[in-house]
Amino acid sequence: MAFPYIRTMGTEADAFLGQLARHLRPQVEKLAGLLLQRLNGEFPELWENADIEVLTLEETAQHVTALLDLLESRPGAGVPEAPPAALDIARLYARRGIPVSRLLRAYRLGHLSLLEQLQAEAPRLTGDWHMINLATVRLVAIGFDYVDRSSEEVVAAYQEERDRLLQRRLALTDRASKRIGTTLDISRTAEELTEVCTEDFADLVTVDLLDSALDEAGTGPPEALTQRRVAQRSVLDDCPESPLRVGGTHTYPDDSEPVRALTTGRSVLHHIAGTEMPPWVAPSESRGRVLRELGLHSVLLVPLHARGDTLGLVQFMRHRTSVPFDDDDLLLAREIVSRAAVSIDNARRYTHERSTALALQRTLLPRNTVEHPAVETASRYLPAGSRAGVGGDWYDVIPLSGARVALVVGDVVGHGLHAAATMGRLRTAVRAFADIDLMPDELLAHLDDVVIRMQREESADEGETSATCLYAVYDPVSRRCSLASAGHVPPTVVTPSTVGEATGASGEAGLPEVPIGPPLGLGGLPFETIEFELPEESLLVLHTDGLIAGRTRDVDQGLATLREVLTSAPDSLEETCERLLAALLPGRPADDVALLVARTRALDPDHVATMDLPSDPAAVSGARRFASDVLTAWDLEDLSFTTELVVSELVTNAIRYGRSPVQLRLILQSTLTCEVSDASSTAPHLRRARIFDEGGRGLLLVAQCAERWGTRHGREGKVIWAEQALPAGGASITAKP
C-alpha cells in the first residue's frame, strides 16, 4: 500500500535542499575556509607543505560546489564523480608517503563539517522543524553517498599512484643492479651510481669516500673522517649545488648530520624548512644563497657500508623535483647504495690487490735494460687491462759463464698476488739453476719438480699451480743458440737479411722447429733441447701468449702480424718493441704481456784462444806459457801471474782427475775467463786441506784469485771456469757489434 504523502514530503524536502543550495552558492569560499579551519588541528601536513596547502584549498572548494550541485539537481540524479583536485591530492599523498587512512579520515571529518554547516543554515529559510528534520535526513543520505563515491575514486587514484611509484622504484632498482658495478674501477662505479640516481630519483647525487678506505684494504670504524669526492652528478650543468669538485677533499663539523651518519652507520632523511640551510649543507652565506635560489628542500644521507667497513657517504638532494624525499625513498636509496657499496668495495679490494701484485711483479722483474756483451736487449711488461688482474708473466736476461747469456720468458697460470708470488719463486729458481749451468732441458726438468713441490704445499682453494717457460742460451763464441720449451710458444727468429728497413730485403721472420714440452707441473714427461746457429745481428723475440692471442684474434693471426712487423724492424730495439705493441695490442691487453727482444752479437775470434792438452802432467807448463803469451797479445800482462796460477791449477785438476780430451780456452770479453774442459762428469769441490796434506788447495787458490768460478756440465763432460775482472783503466772488449 502506497503512502502518497511520504512521496510528497520527500519531494518537498528535495525542493527545500535545492533552495538551500542556491542560498549557499555565493558562500562557497567561506564554507571551504570554515572546513579547512576544522581540519587544521588534526591534519598539520595540510599546512606544512605549500603545494598540499594550495591544492587542498582548491579541492575543498570543489567538494562544496559538487555537493551543492548535487542538492540542486533533480531527485534521483546519480552521485557525481570526485572533483579533479581530489584525485590530484590523493596522488600527491601517495607520492609523499602519507597513509591513505589519513586521507579518508580527512574526507569523513570534512564532509561531516559541511553537513553541519548546511544544517545550521536551514532555519534561516524556514521555521517548519518537521521540514528541517526531513531535509536533514535527506541531506545526510545524499552527503554520505557522495562521500562513499568520492572515497572510492580517491582510494583508487591513491593506489594507482602508489603502484606507479612502486613500479618506478622497482625499475630504478633493476637499472641500478644492471648498471652499477660493471667495472672494477672505484671512480667509474661511483659515477654509475650518480648516473642511475639522477635520472628520475634525485636532482643531485654525490659520492664521497673516506681517505682511509682508499688507502687501506680494510678500515673498520673510521677515525679520520676526511673524505674525497669521487663522483657527483646533477640534473643541472656543472653541478652548481656543489662547491666541491671531483678529486677534492673535505671534512664536516663533528656535530653535523653527515658525521653522525658516518659514525653510527644510520641513514638520515633531512627536510629543509623555509630558507634555513644547515651549516653542513651551506658552509657559507654565498653557498646558502645559491641553494635557496635553487629551492633545495630535502636531503638523504646514506653511508656506504660493506663487509663491516664504512667506506664513505652518498648524498641525494632534491630541488627541482617538488616532491620531497620520504621514508620509502630513504629505503630505496639504502638498497641502491648497499648494492653500490659492495661493488665499490670489490673495486677497492681489487685495486689494492692489483697494485700490490703489480708492485711485487715489477720488483721481481728486471728494473733496467739488461746490458750484456753477447746480446743487445729491449723488453716490455704490460699488465692485463681486464678485471682478471695482474698475472704471472716474466722475462729475464741471465749472464752465464763463458761469455754466454740465457734468455728466459715464462707465464704462470692465473692472476693476482698468488700468480705474482709464484712467478717470483720460479724466476728465482731459474736463476739458481742457471747459476749451475744446467742444459735447457735439464733446467726445465728441475723447474718442473719445483712446481710439483709447490702444488703439494698449497691448499685446495688456491688452485693448482701451473706455468709455461722458454729457456734459451746463446753463445757469442760459437754463435749457437740452444733452447727448450715447457708448454711455451717458441721464439721468433729474424736473420740479418730481414733486419732493417734500409736493406730492402724480402726475407721473412720464422719460428724454429722447437719441440714444445708439457707445461710445468705435470711431472714425469721429458723436455728436449734443440740447438741452431744464429748469424750475427739476428733478432730473437721471446714473448708470452698475451702478445699474439686475444678475444678477437687467434694465435696464427697474431703470429702473422708479429712476423710482418719484424721483417721491417728498425735498428732500435726499443722502437721495435713499440711497433710490436702498437700492431698487436692497440688497446689494453686482455692478458698480461711479457716481451723480450734480443739482437745477437758474435765475439771476435781474436778474443778467443784455445789449446788442446794431452793427459800428461808435463802439459801444465805449456799451458802456463800459452796463457802468458795470449795475455801479452791482449795487453793484459798485469793478469799474467794470477792467470798462470789459475790455469795451472785447473789443468792439473783436469789431467789428474778427468779424462781426455782436455782443452784450455781463454775468452776476453767484459771479463777474462779461463776454461778447462775434459770428458769426465765428476765435478770438483772445495775442501779443507790439513797441515801435512800434499794437495787439496788448488781450487781454494782459484777461488781466491778469481771473482767467480764454477762448473758446467755438458753431454760429453764438464767445463771448469774462472773469471777475473779486467785491470782498472783497461779496455773492456765486448762482442762485435
Side-chain angles (χ1 to χ4, degrees):
M1 180 176 179
F3 297 93
Y5 71 90
I6 295 179
R7 292 197 300 269
T8 302
M9 294 187 68
T11 302
E12 291 176 357
D14 288 337
F16 177 74
L17 290 176
Q19 182 183 0
L20 179 62
R22 287 189 294 272
H23 171 72
L24 293 174
R25 182 77 64 180
Q27 304 178 41
V28 169
E29 293 185 1
K30 177 183 176 182
L31 292 174
L34 293 173
L35 290 178
L36 290 177
Q37 289 180 9
R38 177 74 178 274
L39 298 175
N40 184 24
E42 298 194 33
F43 301 95
E45 67 268 11
L46 299 179
W47 315 103
E48 291 176 352
N49 300 282
D51 49 353
I52 292 181
E53 179 182 0
V54 172
L55 194 56
T56 301
L57 286 170
E58 181 181 355
E59 178 211 22
T60 304
Q62 289 182 1
H63 275 306
V64 172
T65 301
L67 186 57
L68 294 179
D69 290 342
L70 182 60
L71 296 179
E72 279 193 89
S73 63
R74 64 184 184 277
V79 178
E81 295 180 352
L87 303 181
D88 291 340
I89 201 169
R91 298 186 185 100
L92 185 55
Y93 267 53
R95 290 194 293 271
R96 295 294 173 84
I98 302 174
V100 70
S101 59
R102 292 186 62 78
L103 184 63
L104 294 178
R105 174 170 170 74
Y107 262 68
R108 290 193 298 271
L109 185 59
H111 284 85
L112 178 61
S113 300
L114 179 58
L115 293 178
E116 290 175 350
Q117 292 181 37
L118 292 176
Q119 187 179 13
E121 286 292 328
R124 297 179 184 273
L125 299 181
T126 180
D128 186 353
W129 286 101
H130 183 65
M131 177 60 68
I132 292 175
N133 290 335
L134 289 175
T136 300
V137 173
R138 183 67 171 161
L139 179 61
V140 170
I142 294 174
F144 277 99
D145 283 345
Y146 176 77
V147 170
D148 290 343
R149 174 65 182 272
S150 299
S151 298
E152 290 177 0
E153 296 179 9
V154 165
V155 169
Y158 182 96
Q159 191 59 46
E160 181 182 351
E161 184 67 14
R162 292 294 295 175
D163 291 343
R164 189 185 67 80
L165 291 174
L166 179 59
Q167 290 297 326
R168 182 175 66 84
R169 288 168 177 170
L170 289 175
L172 177 60
T173 304
D174 182 62
R175 290 199 308 273
S177 64
K178 293 178 180 178
R179 293 171 50 185
I180 298 175
T182 60
T183 69
L184 283 172
D185 180 84
I186 296 175
S187 298
R188 181 56 195 150
T189 302
E191 289 171 1
E192 291 168 344
L193 171 61
T194 63
E195 290 169 359
V196 169
C197 292
T198 51
E199 290 180 356
D200 58 358
F201 181 71
D203 298 326
L204 172 69
V205 181
T206 66
V207 181
D208 298 328
L209 293 184
L210 297 171
D211 270 353
S212 54
L214 291 171
D215 294 339
E216 302 177 10
T219 62
E223 297 178 358
L225 296 180
T226 300
Q227 299 181 67
R228 185 176 300 277
R229 181 65 50 85
V230 293
Q232 63 182 13
R233 189 177 182 87
S234 171
V235 295
L236 304 176
D237 294 336
D238 299 328
C239 286
E241 312 96 319
S242 173
L244 200 65
R245 291 296 173 252
V246 173
T249 59
H250 66 103
T251 57
Y252 289 109
D254 292 340
D255 59 346
S256 63
E257 293 283 3
V259 171
R260 280 194 287 271
L262 284 171
T263 54
T264 64
R266 297 175 181 173
S267 302
V268 175
L269 168 58
H270 186 88
H271 291 295
I272 298 174
T275 59
E276 294 296 328
M277 292 288 171
W280 55 270
V281 174
S284 65
E285 179 58 34
S286 60
R287 180 54 44 189
R289 185 166 53 254
V290 170
L291 295 178
R292 282 191 293 271
E293 291 174 355
L294 291 173
L296 179 66
H297 55 74
S298 58
V299 181
L300 295 178
L301 304 175
V302 184
L304 279 161
H305 199 73
R307 301 183 178 95
D309 295 336
T310 299
L311 308 180
L313 187 69
V314 183
Q315 295 189 51
F316 303 87
M317 298 185 180
R318 280 184 179 173
H319 50 77
R320 190 175 68 175
T321 303
S322 60
V323 178
F325 290 119
D326 57 23
D327 291 336
D328 287 342
D329 291 323
L330 182 59
L331 291 175
L332 177 61
R334 289 174 58 185
E335 181 178 354
I336 294 174
V337 170
S338 177
R339 296 187 182 191
V342 174
S343 297
I344 289 175
D345 190 52
N346 289 339
R348 182 176 67 100
R349 291 170 181 266
Y350 164 78
T351 301
H352 177 78
E353 180 174 334
R354 176 183 169 83
S355 299
T356 304
L358 189 57
L360 174 62
Q361 190 164 43
R362 292 197 183 280
T363 301
L364 295 173
L365 291 173
R367 299 188 180 183
N368 302 307
T369 301
V370 179
E371 297 182 1
H372 193 278
V375 290
E376 176 190 359
T377 63
S379 57
R380 293 290 188 276
Y381 170 74
L382 275 72
S386 67
R387 66 177 60 193
V390 177
D393 293 18
W394 89 92
Y395 63 89
D396 211 345
V397 180
I398 307 173
L400 301 177
S401 64
R404 299 167 307 130
V405 63
L407 305 173
V408 190
V409 66
D411 184 0
V412 176
V413 175
H415 295 84
L417 276 174
H418 181 261
T422 302
M423 178 272 288
R425 296 173 67 180
L426 293 184
R427 179 173 181 256
T428 302
V430 169
R431 280 187 161 262
F433 295 142
D435 195 51
I436 57 177
D437 268 326
L438 294 176
M439 295 285 291
D441 58 329
E442 295 176 355
L443 183 144
L444 293 182
H446 284 283
L447 195 61
D448 188 41
D449 292 338
V450 171
V451 174
I452 292 174
R453 285 196 297 272
M454 292 170 62
Q455 291 174 351
R456 294 170 181 168
E457 296 169 358
E458 291 170 352
S459 59
D461 57 352
E462 290 179 328
E464 185 171 323
T465 299
S466 181
T468 64
C469 184
L470 179 73
Y471 185 82
V473 176
Y474 173 68
D475 186 348
V477 177
S478 63
R479 293 183 284 105
R480 298 193 66 79
C481 178
S482 56
L483 61 87
S485 170
H488 203 88
V489 59
T492 300
V493 176
V494 188
T495 57
S497 61
T498 62
V499 175
E501 296 177 340
T503 61
S506 59
E508 294 185 357
L511 299 175
E513 295 183 1
V514 179
I516 299 178
L520 300 172
L522 295 183
L525 299 174
F527 302 97
E528 183 177 346
T529 296
I530 67 159
E531 189 172 325
F532 53 90
E533 186 174 330
L534 285 175
E536 296 179 49
E537 297 294 310
S538 295
L539 286 185
L540 196 60
V541 181
L542 292 76
H543 55 83
T544 54
D545 57 2
L547 180 68
I548 56 175
R551 287 187 291 264
T552 60
R553 182 186 61 225
D554 59 23
V555 174
D556 292 336
Q557 182 183 357
L559 287 173
T561 304
L562 176 72
R563 289 193 293 267
E564 182 180 350
V565 173
L566 290 176
T567 52
S568 58
D571 291 336
S572 170
L573 296 187
E574 296 291 337
E575 187 176 346
T576 298
C577 289
E578 293 300 326
R579 289 192 183 184
L580 287 172
L581 296 179
L584 292 164
L585 300 171
R588 298 183 68 182
D591 194 8
D592 285 44
V593 174
L595 171 64
L596 177 62
V597 180
R599 176 179 285 121
T600 63
R601 295 168 176 165
L603 193 62
D604 192 321
D606 292 339
H607 300 151
V608 180
T610 304
M611 180 182 186
D612 294 326
L613 299 170
S615 294
D616 184 352
V620 175
S621 59
R624 287 199 301 267
R625 287 193 301 272
F626 173 77
S628 178
D629 294 342
V630 170
L631 293 184
T632 300
W634 287 346
D635 196 21
L636 294 175
E637 291 90 344
D638 291 346
L639 296 180
S640 292
F641 177 77
T642 56
T643 303
E644 289 182 31
L645 180 59
V646 169
V647 167
S648 177
E649 295 300 333
L650 294 184
V651 170
T652 299
N653 255 326
I655 292 175
R656 179 177 298 177
Y657 304 110
R659 295 202 308 264
S660 296
V662 178
Q663 186 183 74
L664 167 65
R665 186 169 72 161
L666 300 177
I667 301 173
L668 177 59
Q669 199 188 42
S670 55
T671 60
L672 175 64
T673 303
C674 301
E675 295 183 346
V676 176
S677 61
D678 68 84
S680 171
S681 59
T682 303
H685 61 278
L686 287 172
R687 67 181 180 89
R688 181 180 179 182
R690 299 182 183 276
I691 296 175
F692 299 106
D693 287 350
E694 295 181 0
R697 299 178 178 84
L699 288 182
L700 180 60
L701 291 174
V702 172
Q704 294 298 315
C705 294
E707 278 197 340
R708 296 196 312 145
W709 75 280
T711 304
R712 68 174 181 268
H713 292 268
R715 304 297 187 199
E716 299 176 354
K718 67 178 181 297
V719 176
I720 306 175
W721 54 271
E723 289 182 358
Q724 299 178 73
L726 299 180
S732 176
I733 302 174
T734 61
K736 292 193 299 182

